[in-house]
């Protein structure tokens, strides 16, 4: 007898097709049968050792977070309810060009310091890996949700070139190609970049194109945080489209927003650019989070020249009064490349987290100028995280309707007051943008969060409620599902998602986190 039958579920199967009522049988981590309208047909209903009454609940595939920053959180926090309670059954890590593999001892310490604001310094982590494959093996020991990994181009550049603003030598480019190839062979699903973050921003298009050619050979995709989401945003999107078409590589645009005052109401221009490329045969997808503010580190706003050489060099420049004044002028008058070419508006920047307890009074406050920003950067050694209130609701809604859109939280879990998207992205799509605003139908929205990302990741047995597919499943109440997280209380868990299964095992049951660690590394499928 099979393990589990889910009775009388309203199945939204992830394909975009209309929902239907069914009994769904799960055994050995797979969906083994689906009996439609079983109660009404008068047929013999499937039986199992356990029955779950799903009357009034929607059964859908597990949600896939296409842009996550849980690279260390999955290792330090077995519970990881931030994502599991949302119905997320798979996260894509290694984002924005900076993560922890491949590395050597030097590069690992540099990267740890550079992204302390994203993931913490990692003093509580045993970094017993150096390669992509070793990191994935570490995940395979058991984690809360499944995880795929992108090779971080900035880390690769730091390993092969360093943190200098210069072109790679032919020998260094060859080494980067080898590192990317090795990472793809070891299971990465593609490559990411952070082209407003150092050292990834120092790569010219020719270098990125060569690395994308390698990714394409393994059937992976390129996921850039491109060179601007502010001034010149459309040109930056067009640059990525042209670059990947030249390389013959699939493109997935990370947190594809149109932010700052210069881009208000301009989302249709972005979608027209993408539609033209799609019509010409380009393979493009994108992800967004359903909020207007962004979230990053305070140090990321600095101009690229001020960040050259890595964290210690940045601190030396900040400590020098003359250089600090140059940085301020670049930020406030010229428009820093780190701030997307837009002169910074300090009152849009809210401190989300610090590591120095003496600075906690700043958390939740808007910045009042460069003097305070400099003080925080020096005292907290580049660690502060920020919310940047520069988005536009009209753009958010327009982009999420597009046919190649997928969901991504971009959730940073560090800090006393993180962005609520880390805990609320997926229930917010379902509760706010489906039930309350009607921006998407339920069937459309579930497809955006399940089968579309599964297709981008080339996962042959995930993303649909379908016989033979893995039983990564979510049961939610469409009438009550809502994020608990708010800007005031960002760590509250959602409501209306009573059950989440990964590989047929309950990780959320009756609205409570179980002790099950069913997640594993999801590796690139050989072509």
């Amino acid at each position: 007898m099979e393990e589990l039958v889910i009775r009388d579920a309203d199945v939204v199967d992830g394909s975009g097709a209309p929902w239907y009522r069914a009994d769904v049988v799960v055994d050995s981590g797979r969906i083994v049968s689906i009996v439609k309208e079983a109660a009404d047909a008068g047929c013999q209903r499937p039986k199992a050792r356990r029955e779950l009454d799903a009357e009034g609940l929607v059964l859908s595939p597990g949600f896939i977070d296409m842009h996550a920053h849980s690279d260390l959180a999955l290792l330090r926090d077995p519970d990881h309810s931030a994502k599991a309670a949302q119905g997320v059954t798979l996260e894509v890590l290694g984002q924005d060009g900076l993560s922890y593999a491949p590395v050597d001892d030097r590069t690992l310490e540099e990267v740890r310091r550079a992204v302390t604001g994203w993931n913490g310094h990692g003093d509580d982590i045993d970094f017993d890996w150096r390669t992509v494959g070793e990191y994935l093996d570490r995940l395979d020991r058991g984690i809360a949700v499944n995880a795929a990994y992108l090779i971080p181009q900035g880390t690769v550049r730091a390993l092969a070139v360093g943190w200098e603003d210069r072109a790679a030598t032919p020998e260094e480019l060859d080494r980067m190609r080898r590192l990317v190839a090795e990472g793809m062979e070891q299971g990465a699903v593609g490559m990411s970049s952070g082209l407003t973050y150092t050292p990834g921003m120092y790569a010219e298009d020719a270098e990125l194109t060569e690395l994308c050619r390698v990714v394409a050979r393994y059937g992976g995709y390129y996921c850039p945080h491109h060179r601007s989401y502010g001034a010149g945003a459309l040109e930056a999107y067009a640059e990525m489209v042209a670059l990947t078409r030249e390389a013959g590589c699939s493109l997935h645009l990370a947190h594809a927003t149109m932010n700052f005052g210069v881009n208000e109401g301009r989302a249709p221009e972005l979608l027209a650019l993408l539609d033209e490329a799609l019509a010409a045969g380009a393979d493009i997808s994108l992800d967004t989070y359903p909020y207007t503010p962004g979230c990053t580190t305070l140090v990321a706003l600095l101009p690229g020249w001020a960040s050259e050489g890595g964290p210690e060099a940045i601190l030396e420049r900040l400590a020098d009064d003359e250089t600090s004044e140059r940085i301020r002028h670049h930020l406030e008058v010229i428009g820093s490349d780190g701030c997307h070419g837009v002169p910074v508006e300090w009152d849009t920047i809210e401190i989300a987290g610090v590591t120095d307890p003496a600075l906690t009074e700043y958390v939740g406050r808007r910045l009042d100028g460069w003097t305070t920003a400099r003080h925080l950067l020096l005292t907290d050694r580049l660690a502060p995280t920020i919310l940047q209130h520069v988005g536009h609701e009209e753009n958010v809604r327009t982009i999420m309707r597009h046919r190649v859109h997928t969901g991504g939280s971009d959730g940073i879990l560090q800090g006393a007051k993180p962005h609520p998207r880390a805990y609320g992205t997926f229930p917010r799509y379902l509760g706010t943008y489906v039930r309350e605003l009607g921006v998407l139908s339920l069937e459309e929205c579930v497809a955006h969060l399940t089968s579309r990302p599964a297709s981008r990741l080339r996962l042959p047995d995930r993303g649909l409620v379908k016989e033979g597919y893995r039983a990564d499943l979510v049961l939610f109440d469409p009438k009550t599902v809502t994020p608990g997280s708010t800007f005031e209380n960002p760590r509250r868990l959602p409501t209306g998602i009573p059950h989440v299964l990964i590989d047929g095992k309950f990780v959320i049951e009756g609205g409570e986190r179980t002790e099950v660690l069913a997640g594993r590394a999801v590796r690139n499928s050989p072509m």
Side-chain angles (χ1 to χ4, degrees):
M1 183 178 289
E2 281 79 15
E3 296 171 1
L4 172 68
V5 58
I6 302 170
R7 293 249 186 251
D8 294 322
D10 295 338
V11 178
V12 178
D13 67 6
S15 70
W19 69 273
Y20 59 86
R21 181 70 57 85
D23 292 352
V24 177
V25 182
V26 172
D27 191 68
S28 301
R30 299 273 174 175
I31 300 168
V32 295
S33 68
I34 301 172
V35 182
K36 295 183 179 181
E37 305 293 346
D40 298 332
C43 61
Q44 184 172 351
R45 305 187 72 177
K47 296 182 179 180
R49 291 193 293 275
R50 177 178 177 183
E51 296 187 4
L52 177 63
D53 182 4
E55 181 71 36
L57 298 178
V58 167
L59 176 67
S60 81
F63 305 137
I64 297 176
D65 188 343
M66 286 295 287
H67 193 104
H69 288 285
S70 303
D71 307 49
L72 299 186
L74 277 168
L75 301 178
R76 69 162 56 98
D77 177 19
D79 182 84
H80 201 49
S81 288
K83 294 302 177 66
Q86 293 187 62
V88 171
T89 58
L90 171 61
E91 298 184 273
V92 185
L93 313 177
Q95 299 287 350
D96 295 328
L98 287 167
S99 189
Y100 306 95
V103 291
D104 57 14
D105 291 349
R106 170 190 63 82
T107 308
L108 174 61
E109 180 56 29
E110 291 168 344
V111 170
R112 287 173 64 181
R113 295 194 60 192
V115 294
T116 295
W118 293 356
N119 300 311
H121 187 259
D123 292 331
D124 54 340
I125 301 293
D126 178 11
F127 288 89
D128 59 352
W129 69 85
R130 292 295 180 270
T131 69
V132 170
E134 290 167 350
Y135 176 68
L136 297 178
D137 288 344
R138 175 71 179 275
L139 299 179
D140 273 340
R141 297 180 197 173
I143 48 179
V145 305
N146 295 311
Y149 188 73
L150 295 165
I151 301 163
Q153 170 259 329
T155 300
V156 167
R157 196 172 212 273
L159 183 56
V161 180
W163 297 73
E164 291 75 40
D165 183 2
R166 63 174 176 82
T169 67
E171 294 77 17
E172 289 166 341
L173 182 56
D174 282 343
R175 188 182 182 198
M176 285 191 282
R177 288 194 193 98
R178 290 195 301 272
L179 288 166
V180 172
E182 289 167 2
M184 294 299 298
E185 290 166 0
Q186 292 166 7
V189 295
M191 182 180 74
S192 76
S193 282
L195 299 180
T196 65
Y197 301 131
T198 57
M201 64 158 49
Y202 301 141
E204 297 179 351
D205 283 2
E207 178 181 313
L208 297 171
T209 301
E210 287 303 306
L211 300 184
C212 284
R213 293 187 199 279
V214 177
V215 173
R217 288 206 305 269
Y218 292 90
Y221 67 93
Y222 182 42
C223 180
H225 166 126
H226 52 273
R227 298 191 194 274
S228 177
Y229 291 83
L234 287 173
E235 292 80 2
Y237 280 112
E239 175 191 10
M240 295 298 101
V241 170
L243 185 156
T244 49
R245 296 207 72 189
E246 172 68 21
C249 187
S250 300
L251 173 64
H252 180 84
L253 295 165
H255 37 61
T257 57
M258 293 286 287
N259 287 340
F260 301 91
V262 295
N263 289 317
E264 186 172 3
R266 299 188 69 189
E269 297 176 58
L270 166 61
L271 300 185
L273 184 159
L274 300 182
D275 283 337
E276 181 179 358
L278 289 162
D283 180 9
I284 300 173
S285 55
L286 57 87
D287 66 68
T288 68
Y289 46 83
Y291 297 86
T292 52
C295 179
T296 187
T297 56
L298 182 58
V299 68
L301 304 186
L302 302 186
W305 62 261
S307 298
E308 185 178 5
E312 284 302 323
I314 298 172
L315 289 166
E316 290 176 9
R317 293 187 183 103
L318 288 168
D320 179 77
D321 289 343
E322 184 177 342
T323 308
S324 172
E325 175 58 23
R326 286 183 59 208
I327 294 172
R328 183 205 64 77
H329 181 78
H330 211 124
L331 281 166
E332 296 181 353
V333 179
I334 298 173
S336 162
D337 48 5
C339 195
H340 308 279
V342 177
V344 68
E345 297 177 358
W346 294 113
D347 62 355
T348 68
I349 297 172
E350 176 185 355
I351 299 299
V354 294
T355 60
D356 186 340
L359 299 173
T360 54
E361 65 180 288
Y362 291 94
V363 174
R365 285 167 47 179
R366 302 289 181 110
L367 288 180
D368 56 9
W370 172 240
T371 299
T372 302
R374 181 192 183 194
H375 168 67
L376 290 170
L377 288 167
L378 283 168
T379 307
D380 209 28
R381 297 188 64 79
L382 313 182
T385 53
I386 61 171
L387 301 183
Q388 205 167 3
H389 296 267
V390 292
H392 306 285
E393 179 66 21
E394 180 186 356
N395 285 349
V396 170
R397 297 187 193 190
T398 299
I399 293 170
M400 74 170 63
R401 292 188 184 101
H402 197 270
R403 66 187 186 280
V404 300
H405 170 268
T406 67
S409 71
D410 197 12
I412 294 174
L413 298 166
Q414 287 296 117
K417 196 173 181 287
H419 196 303
R421 68 193 185 191
Y423 285 74
T425 285
F426 295 87
R428 182 168 167 84
Y429 269 119
L430 298 168
T432 302
Y433 289 94
V434 172
R435 183 181 65 244
E436 296 176 9
L437 299 175
V439 174
L440 296 168
S441 72
L442 181 59
E443 290 87 349
E444 284 179 303
C445 185
V446 169
H448 287 224
L449 307 181
T450 60
S451 63
R452 288 188 189 175
S455 177
R456 165 54 69 217
L457 295 167
R458 296 196 304 115
L459 303 178
D461 57 358
R462 302 177 198 262
L464 294 171
V465 179
K466 185 176 181 180
E467 291 180 358
Y469 273 51
R470 290 182 180 271
D472 293 354
L473 301 168
V474 181
L475 284 147
F476 64 89
D477 184 343
K479 298 183 178 66
T480 64
V481 61
T482 190
S485 61
T486 64
F487 287 99
E488 293 73 28
N489 295 287
R491 295 186 187 276
R492 286 197 311 213
L493 298 179
T495 56
I497 306 178
H499 304 293
V500 181
L501 294 87
I502 294 178
D503 213 28
K505 303 176 181 68
F506 284 89
V507 297
I508 300 290
E509 186 174 5
E512 300 292 332
R513 178 73 172 93
T514 71
E515 296 182 355
V516 170
L517 296 176
R520 297 294 185 270
V522 174
R523 289 169 166 81
N524 179 42
S525 301
M527 292 190 68

